[in-house]
Each structure stands twice: as structure tokens, then as C-alpha cells.
Amino acid sequence: MKRGLIALAALLAVPALAHAQGSVTEVATTDDEFTPEELASDVGVESFHWRWGAPDTVNAHNVREESKLFYSGTTEATGDFTITPSAGTFNYYCEAHGFISSTGQPSGMAGRISVKPTATPQGRRTLITWATETTDTGNRYDVRQKAGSRKPKLVEEKTKEIEGAFKLKPGTKYAFQVRSLEGKKASDWSPKLKVKG
């Protein structure tokens, strides 16, 4: 009986572990573009991988987030680069063939990754998760919360925590956004995570 319960517990844990580890999304790299250009995910669900070199590309490339929250290094003829992002919106480009416009739009060989935080109800509180132990696009986080029709307010500033529990009023609609930070480097705000109290 005891062995049966242990085996059952092990089987039930497998899907949770698989989800926690996430999947890897390939970003195709050619000589003039990243495909897809726009990517969206939730925290902890997936990593993103770029690879370039013959036969797909003949020019040197790299991957650089606008403020260098992630950076594959100088342009090279071949490259292999992976990130596991925390919450935020990350505009990135190849330094040789792309740029971020003055309006914040990726242009040329460039793209955007938008990562939303997640919510887990815990009785009268909701746990908002904006990073995991394996994310590598920041080590501090700003979190803002909008309650109902009120203006958004900063509820966490430059926190090292990867999640926080927030008390929500029943019937009130909330929106949470996060940006990832490291020193003076910062992502844009994440897409809104909408939660009802």
C-alpha cells in the first residue's frame, strides 16, 4: 500500500515538473530577420533560443536586448544563444542589421518578447509570480497594480523577490504589470495580467 502511494505521488509530480521546466521556442535566424518577430509567453512557461551560421546565414549576427538585459556578445559568423525571461517586454535586435526606433518599435532584424506574470489564488490573497529561480533577464523587479478605474500604482520597487502575495477586494478587477531590472538596465512593462478579486 505504501509503495503504491509513493508511486502514485511520483506520477502526479511528473506533469508539474514538466510544466515547471518549460519548453524551448526556436527563433529562426536568417540574414535579414528573426522569425517570428513577436513572441508572447507567461513566466516560467518557456525559454527562447537563437542559432545562426551556415547554411542559413552568411553574415555575422548577434542578439541584443535594447538595454542589454540579455546580450549574446559581439556579432559573430555563428552563434547559439538562449534566454529564460522574467516578466516584462523585451525589444531586441541584431546590432549589424536591426535597431529599435525612437518610438520603441523593433525595425529590420529585430523582435519583441512579451512575458506576462502569472496568478495563483490563495484564499483571500493572490500570488503574483514575475520570475523563477531560472530566469536570467534581470535580478530586481518593479510591480505595478491597477485596481478598478484607479491609476496604476507601484506596489513593489526594485524587489529581489520573484513573487508576492496581494490581498484583493472581492468583485474588484485588477491588472498587474512588471518590468525586469538589472542595475540601470530595464525592460518595458509586461502585458497586463488581469485578475478579479
Side-chain angles (χ1 to χ4, degrees), residues 135-187:
T135 54
D136 53 10
T137 55
N139 55 20
R140 292 185 184 268
Y141 311 95
D142 286 344
V143 181
R144 69 182 179 189
Q145 175 194 69
K146 183 178 187 302
S149 59
R150 295 180 182 165
K151 290 184 178 180
K153 69 175 185 176
L154 209 56
V155 290
E156 294 285 349
E157 186 174 12
K158 297 181 181 176
T159 181
K160 290 182 179 180
E161 300 299 322
I162 62 174
E163 58 191 12
F166 296 88
K167 189 172 182 180
L168 308 181
K169 291 181 182 176
T172 302
K173 293 180 181 178
Y174 293 85
F176 289 88
Q177 288 181 286
V178 178
R179 65 180 169 197
S180 295
L181 313 164
E182 187 174 324
K184 293 183 179 180
K185 304 169 192 172
S187 73

Side-chain angles (χ1 to χ4, degrees), residues 89-170:
T89 298
F90 305 92
N91 295 318
Y92 71 91
Y93 60 99
C94 166
E95 290 178 308
H97 306 103
F99 62 95
I100 306 301
S101 73
S102 59
T103 60
Q105 295 301 311
S107 188
M109 190 172 184
R112 174 179 290 137
I113 298 172
S114 302
V115 181
K116 192 167 52 174
T118 61
T120 306
Q122 296 184 326
R124 293 186 178 189
R125 294 182 177 268
T126 297
L127 184 68
I128 306 296
T129 302
W130 47 82
T132 68
E133 297 296 335
T134 60
T135 54
D136 53 10
T137 55
N139 55 20
R140 292 185 184 268
Y141 311 95
D142 286 344
V143 181
R144 69 182 179 189
Q145 175 194 69
K146 183 178 187 302
S149 59
R150 295 180 182 165
K151 290 184 178 180
K153 69 175 185 176
L154 209 56
V155 290
E156 294 285 349
E157 186 174 12
K158 297 181 181 176
T159 181
K160 290 182 179 180
E161 300 299 322
I162 62 174
E163 58 191 12
F166 296 88
K167 189 172 182 180
L168 308 181
K169 291 181 182 176

Side-chain angles (χ1 to χ4, degrees), residues 45-114:
V45 173
E46 59 194 313
S47 298
F48 299 93
H49 177 251
W50 296 259
R51 183 187 315 246
W52 59 95
D56 299 323
T57 60
V58 294
N59 294 320
H61 300 293
N62 70 349
V63 178
R64 175 198 166 155
E65 192 273 335
E66 187 174 13
S67 67
K68 286 193 176 177
L69 273 171
F70 57 85
Y71 184 52
S72 66
T74 58
T75 56
E76 299 285 344
T78 61
D80 193 337
F81 184 62
T82 303
I83 63 161
T84 304
S86 45
T89 298
F90 305 92
N91 295 318
Y92 71 91
Y93 60 99
C94 166
E95 290 178 308
H97 306 103
F99 62 95
I100 306 301
S101 73
S102 59
T103 60
Q105 295 301 311
S107 188
M109 190 172 184
R112 174 179 290 137
I113 298 172
S114 302

